[in-house]
Structures are given as structure tokens and as C-alpha cells.
Amino acid sequence: MDLPADLVALGVVRGAYGVKGWVRIQPFGSDTTLQSTRTWWLQQPHGRAQRLAVNEVKPHSGAVLAKWDGCESPELADTLKGATIAVPRSAFPPLPEGEVYWVDLIGARVINRGGTELGRVTALSSNGAQDLLEVTGSNGTLLVPMVPSYVESVDVAAREVRVDWEADW
């Protein structure tokens, strides 16, 4: 099977869980997509990607536990440590109105109230208190908190984020 062009890495394998081949995965963000999809791709470091038919998924202490065909022992599950779990963007479940997936913001233009383009979203992260847009432009990199007082609008279709932020903040 061909590798989907729209794969998005959603977590990393941390090792075995239990004795029946369950795998513990640390999600990079929300585990919603991992819990709602049953076709994943396992991407080994320096190796090929492999399609997985996931039988069961459950949250566990900030991680995700998963069981898929072909992984029947803790020894095999432990050999997968460090592998990335990816899902095609086209398989993501729809979100409620007003919410967006982080991956959809990468590359979006960031424009302030004065109409100045501050740069483009190059990454998103969290500092524990809120999510942060990493915006890279001609003045370097800015971190803009993803809170309503600073992010005024997000238009995924237009690939644009409007903010109340200045280049020298």
C-alpha cells in the first residue's frame, strides 16, 4: 500500500504495556484523532512506514494504549520504541465550530491589527498555560499566545491568522 501524502505524526511509541502486545504511545498533542481512527502508520526511524490495523485504543495516564494486528508480545512492542505513529490528515474527525487542528495552521500568514504581516506559523507548542503560535518572519521568531485576547481570528481556508500583536513584542 502506498504511503498517504497527507500523513501527520501524532505520537511516539514509548514501549510495551502488559504482556499481550499492547503498545504505549505518547501523543504529541490531543489524543482525539488517535482514539477515533483505526488505520495508523508506524514510521520507524531510518526505516519504512507500515500500515497498522488498530483493534483497540484507550487513554491511560496522559498516554494512549493501543493494540494492533501483528503485535502479540511485549518483546515485539518494545522493539517499536521511538517509532512515530501517523494518521492521514484526511482521516481526522471533524471538529466543533471554532476549533482547528494545529497542523492546519502551519504555513498560515500571521497579520496584526495594523495589517503588517508578522510572518508565517512554523510550529505550535504549549507552555503549560496556553498554546503558542511560533511565527517566523523577517524580524525573527515570535511566540504568540493562542488566547482570544491576542488571536482575533483564524481562517484555515485563507491560511491566515489575525492577531493583536506587534513585531517588537
Side-chain angles (χ1 to χ4, degrees), residues 33 40 45 59 69 81 88 92 94 106 110 121 130:
T33 303
W40 297 355
D69 294 339
K81 281 183 187 175
F92 284 25
I106 302 297
V110 179
V121 177
Q130 69 260 329

Side-chain angles (χ1 to χ4, degrees), residues 57-87:
V57 180
K58 53 188 170 185
H60 180 73
S61 300
V64 173
L65 304 178
K67 179 71 178 88
W68 55 75
D69 294 339
C71 190
E72 306 303 328
S73 71
E75 293 80 16
L76 181 56
D78 271 337
T79 67
L80 304 175
K81 281 183 187 175
T84 302
I85 299 296
V87 173

